[in-house]
PDB file of all heavy atoms in Angstrom:
ATOM      1  N   PHE A  21     101.233 120.458  91.113  1.00  0.00           N
ATOM      2  CA  PHE A  21     100.892 121.281  92.284  1.00  0.00           C
ATOM      3  C   PHE A  21     101.135 122.760  91.970  1.00  0.00           C
ATOM      4  O   PHE A  21     100.348 123.625  92.358  1.00  0.00           O
ATOM      5  CB  PHE A  21     101.691 120.858  93.516  1.00  0.00           C
ATOM      6  CG  PHE A  21     101.172 119.632  94.204  1.00  0.00           C
ATOM      7  CD1 PHE A  21     102.004 118.545  94.437  1.00  0.00           C
ATOM      8  CD2 PHE A  21      99.858 119.547  94.639  1.00  0.00           C
ATOM      9  CE1 PHE A  21     101.540 117.406  95.087  1.00  0.00           C
ATOM     10  CE2 PHE A  21      99.374 118.408  95.293  1.00  0.00           C
ATOM     11  CZ  PHE A  21     100.227 117.344  95.519  1.00  0.00           C
ATOM     12  N   ARG A  22     102.205 123.053  91.237  1.00  0.00           N
ATOM     13  CA  ARG A  22     102.506 124.444  90.869  1.00  0.00           C
ATOM     14  C   ARG A  22     101.384 125.025  89.998  1.00  0.00           C
ATOM     15  O   ARG A  22     100.983 126.179  90.185  1.00  0.00           O
ATOM     16  CB  ARG A  22     103.846 124.520  90.152  1.00  0.00           C
ATOM     17  CG  ARG A  22     104.297 125.954  89.889  1.00  0.00           C
ATOM     18  CD  ARG A  22     105.687 126.019  89.260  1.00  0.00           C
ATOM     19  NE  ARG A  22     106.714 125.740  90.262  1.00  0.00           N
ATOM     20  CZ  ARG A  22     107.487 124.649  90.281  1.00  0.00           C
ATOM     21  NH1 ARG A  22     107.370 123.719  89.362  1.00  0.00           N
ATOM     22  NH2 ARG A  22     108.392 124.496  91.215  1.00  0.00           N
ATOM     23  N   CYS A  23     100.878 124.243  89.072  1.00  0.00           N
ATOM     24  CA  CYS A  23      99.763 124.708  88.225  1.00  0.00           C
ATOM     25  C   CYS A  23      98.537 125.049  89.069  1.00  0.00           C
ATOM     26  O   CYS A  23      97.857 126.053  88.817  1.00  0.00           O
ATOM     27  CB  CYS A  23      99.398 123.641  87.193  1.00  0.00           C
ATOM     28  SG  CYS A  23     100.563 123.514  85.835  1.00  0.00           S
ATOM     29  N   ILE A  24      98.265 124.231  90.056  1.00  0.00           N
ATOM     30  CA  ILE A  24      97.124 124.493  90.943  1.00  0.00           C
ATOM     31  C   ILE A  24      97.332 125.812  91.676  1.00  0.00           C
ATOM     32  O   ILE A  24      96.422 126.640  91.768  1.00  0.00           O
ATOM     33  CB  ILE A  24      96.925 123.333  91.942  1.00  0.00           C
ATOM     34  CG1 ILE A  24      96.557 122.054  91.198  1.00  0.00           C
ATOM     35  CG2 ILE A  24      95.854 123.698  92.978  1.00  0.00           C
ATOM     36  CD1 ILE A  24      96.646 120.802  92.065  1.00  0.00           C
ATOM     37  N   VAL A  25      98.543 126.015  92.196  1.00  0.00           N
ATOM     38  CA  VAL A  25      98.847 127.239  92.941  1.00  0.00           C
ATOM     39  C   VAL A  25      98.774 128.456  92.031  1.00  0.00           C
ATOM     40  O   VAL A  25      98.299 129.523  92.451  1.00  0.00           O
ATOM     41  CB  VAL A  25     100.235 127.130  93.617  1.00  0.00           C
ATOM     42  CG1 VAL A  25     100.688 128.458  94.193  1.00  0.00           C
ATOM     43  CG2 VAL A  25     100.209 126.051  94.695  1.00  0.00           C
ATOM     44  N   GLU A  26      99.208 128.313  90.795  1.00  0.00           N
ATOM     45  CA  GLU A  26      99.118 129.443  89.859  1.00  0.00           C
ATOM     46  C   GLU A  26      97.656 129.826  89.609  1.00  0.00           C
ATOM     47  O   GLU A  26      97.339 131.002  89.489  1.00  0.00           O
ATOM     48  CB  GLU A  26      99.818 129.100  88.547  1.00  0.00           C
ATOM     49  CG  GLU A  26     101.324 129.090  88.685  1.00  0.00           C
ATOM     50  CD  GLU A  26     102.045 128.550  87.457  1.00  0.00           C
ATOM     51  OE1 GLU A  26     101.385 128.114  86.491  1.00  0.00           O
ATOM     52  OE2 GLU A  26     103.286 128.551  87.481  1.00  0.00           O
ATOM     53  N   ASP A  27      96.781 128.824  89.543  1.00  0.00           N
ATOM     54  CA  ASP A  27      95.354 129.090  89.338  1.00  0.00           C
ATOM     55  C   ASP A  27      94.671 129.610  90.600  1.00  0.00           C
ATOM     56  O   ASP A  27      93.735 130.399  90.526  1.00  0.00           O
ATOM     57  CB  ASP A  27      94.625 127.826  88.871  1.00  0.00           C
ATOM     58  CG  ASP A  27      94.967 127.441  87.447  1.00  0.00           C
ATOM     59  OD1 ASP A  27      95.501 128.289  86.701  1.00  0.00           O
ATOM     60  OD2 ASP A  27      94.702 126.277  87.084  1.00  0.00           O
ATOM     61  N   ASP A  28      95.123 129.130  91.753  1.00  0.00           N
ATOM     62  CA  ASP A  28      94.512 129.516  93.030  1.00  0.00           C
ATOM     63  C   ASP A  28      95.599 129.618  94.099  1.00  0.00           C
ATOM     64  O   ASP A  28      95.904 128.636  94.774  1.00  0.00           O
ATOM     65  CB  ASP A  28      93.458 128.496  93.455  1.00  0.00           C
ATOM     66  CG  ASP A  28      92.736 128.891  94.733  1.00  0.00           C
ATOM     67  OD1 ASP A  28      93.024 129.978  95.295  1.00  0.00           O
ATOM     68  OD2 ASP A  28      91.877 128.109  95.181  1.00  0.00           O
ATOM     69  N   PRO A  29      96.208 130.812  94.245  1.00  0.00           N
ATOM     70  CA  PRO A  29      97.305 130.988  95.195  1.00  0.00           C
ATOM     71  C   PRO A  29      96.941 130.717  96.653  1.00  0.00           C
ATOM     72  O   PRO A  29      97.821 130.561  97.492  1.00  0.00           O
ATOM     73  CB  PRO A  29      97.712 132.458  95.010  1.00  0.00           C
ATOM     74  CG  PRO A  29      97.187 132.838  93.678  1.00  0.00           C
ATOM     75  CD  PRO A  29      95.949 132.011  93.463  1.00  0.00           C
ATOM     76  N   ALA A  30      95.661 130.645  96.959  1.00  0.00           N
ATOM     77  CA  ALA A  30      95.221 130.392  98.333  1.00  0.00           C
ATOM     78  C   ALA A  30      94.966 128.905  98.591  1.00  0.00           C
ATOM     79  O   ALA A  30      94.439 128.549  99.643  1.00  0.00           O
ATOM     80  CB  ALA A  30      93.969 131.194  98.644  1.00  0.00           C
ATOM     81  N   GLU A  31      95.341 128.046  97.681  1.00  0.00           N
ATOM     82  CA  GLU A  31      95.128 126.603  97.827  1.00  0.00           C
ATOM     83  C   GLU A  31      96.243 126.028  98.697  1.00  0.00           C
ATOM     84  O   GLU A  31      97.328 125.696  98.223  1.00  0.00           O
ATOM     85  CB  GLU A  31      95.094 125.942  96.444  1.00  0.00           C
ATOM     86  CG  GLU A  31      94.918 124.452  96.465  1.00  0.00           C
ATOM     87  CD  GLU A  31      93.734 123.990  97.275  1.00  0.00           C
ATOM     88  OE1 GLU A  31      92.598 124.365  96.947  1.00  0.00           O
ATOM     89  OE2 GLU A  31      93.962 123.242  98.247  1.00  0.00           O
ATOM     90  N   ASP A  32      95.970 125.941  99.992  1.00  0.00           N
ATOM     91  CA  ASP A  32      97.013 125.554 100.946  1.00  0.00           C
ATOM     92  C   ASP A  32      97.534 124.139 100.716  1.00  0.00           C
ATOM     93  O   ASP A  32      98.731 123.892 100.841  1.00  0.00           O
ATOM     94  CB  ASP A  32      96.530 125.724 102.389  1.00  0.00           C
ATOM     95  CG  ASP A  32      95.350 124.849 102.735  1.00  0.00           C
ATOM     96  OD1 ASP A  32      94.220 125.205 102.337  1.00  0.00           O
ATOM     97  OD2 ASP A  32      95.535 123.823 103.401  1.00  0.00           O
ATOM     98  N   TYR A  33      96.659 123.193 100.374  1.00  0.00           N
ATOM     99  CA  TYR A  33      97.149 121.821 100.187  1.00  0.00           C
ATOM    100  C   TYR A  33      98.084 121.736  98.975  1.00  0.00           C
ATOM    101  O   TYR A  33      99.081 121.008  99.007  1.00  0.00           O
ATOM    102  CB  TYR A  33      96.005 120.813 100.042  1.00  0.00           C
ATOM    103  CG  TYR A  33      96.549 119.412 100.017  1.00  0.00           C
ATOM    104  CD1 TYR A  33      96.868 118.758 101.197  1.00  0.00           C
ATOM    105  CD2 TYR A  33      96.815 118.767  98.816  1.00  0.00           C
ATOM    106  CE1 TYR A  33      97.427 117.492 101.187  1.00  0.00           C
ATOM    107  CE2 TYR A  33      97.383 117.500  98.791  1.00  0.00           C
ATOM    108  CZ  TYR A  33      97.679 116.871  99.980  1.00  0.00           C
ATOM    109  OH  TYR A  33      98.250 115.620  99.972  1.00  0.00           O
ATOM    110  N   ALA A  34      97.790 122.480  97.909  1.00  0.00           N
ATOM    111  CA  ALA A  34      98.668 122.475  96.741  1.00  0.00           C
ATOM    112  C   ALA A  34     100.025 123.091  97.088  1.00  0.00           C
ATOM    113  O   ALA A  34     101.066 122.607  96.624  1.00  0.00           O
ATOM    114  CB  ALA A  34      98.020 123.212  95.577  1.00  0.00           C
ATOM    115  N   LEU A  35     100.027 124.133  97.910  1.00  0.00           N
ATOM    116  CA  LEU A  35     101.295 124.707  98.365  1.00  0.00           C
ATOM    117  C   LEU A  35     102.085 123.676  99.171  1.00  0.00           C
ATOM    118  O   LEU A  35     103.296 123.532  98.985  1.00  0.00           O
ATOM    119  CB  LEU A  35     101.033 125.954  99.218  1.00  0.00           C
ATOM    120  CG  LEU A  35     100.596 127.186  98.434  1.00  0.00           C
ATOM    121  CD1 LEU A  35      99.943 128.207  99.369  1.00  0.00           C
ATOM    122  CD2 LEU A  35     101.780 127.797  97.700  1.00  0.00           C
ATOM    123  N   PHE A  36     101.399 122.975 100.035  1.00  0.00           N
ATOM    124  CA  PHE A  36     102.032 121.923 100.833  1.00  0.00           C
ATOM    125  C   PHE A  36     102.599 120.828  99.917  1.00  0.00           C
ATOM    126  O   PHE A  36     103.752 120.429 100.058  1.00  0.00           O
ATOM    127  CB  PHE A  36     100.990 121.347 101.801  1.00  0.00           C
ATOM    128  CG  PHE A  36     101.446 120.164 102.590  1.00  0.00           C
ATOM    129  CD1 PHE A  36     102.492 120.244 103.486  1.00  0.00           C
ATOM    130  CD2 PHE A  36     100.783 118.948 102.464  1.00  0.00           C
ATOM    131  CE1 PHE A  36     102.894 119.136 104.233  1.00  0.00           C
ATOM    132  CE2 PHE A  36     101.163 117.842 103.205  1.00  0.00           C
ATOM    133  CZ  PHE A  36     102.229 117.940 104.089  1.00  0.00           C
ATOM    134  N   GLY A  37     101.798 120.375  98.970  1.00  0.00           N
ATOM    135  CA  GLY A  37     102.257 119.343  98.041  1.00  0.00           C
ATOM    136  C   GLY A  37     103.435 119.804  97.207  1.00  0.00           C
ATOM    137  O   GLY A  37     104.373 119.040  96.967  1.00  0.00           O
ATOM    138  N   LEU A  38     103.400 121.055  96.772  1.00  0.00           N
ATOM    139  CA  LEU A  38     104.522 121.611  96.020  1.00  0.00           C
ATOM    140  C   LEU A  38     105.780 121.613  96.875  1.00  0.00           C
ATOM    141  O   LEU A  38     106.847 121.177  96.433  1.00  0.00           O
ATOM    142  CB  LEU A  38     104.185 123.026  95.548  1.00  0.00           C
ATOM    143  CG  LEU A  38     105.306 123.791  94.848  1.00  0.00           C
ATOM    144  CD1 LEU A  38     105.824 123.034  93.634  1.00  0.00           C
ATOM    145  CD2 LEU A  38     104.823 125.192  94.474  1.00  0.00           C
ATOM    146  N   GLY A  39     105.645 122.083  98.107  1.00  0.00           N
ATOM    147  CA  GLY A  39     106.804 122.111  99.005  1.00  0.00           C
ATOM    148  C   GLY A  39     107.353 120.725  99.285  1.00  0.00           C
ATOM    149  O   GLY A  39     108.574 120.507  99.267  1.00  0.00           O
TER     150      GLY A  39
END
Side-chain angles (χ1 to χ4, degrees):
F21 281 125
R22 187 176 285 112
C23 285
I24 296 167
V25 170
E26 287 171 357
D27 288 343
D28 183 1
E31 178 53 61
D32 62 282
Y33 187 82
L35 286 162
F36 174 63
L38 175 57

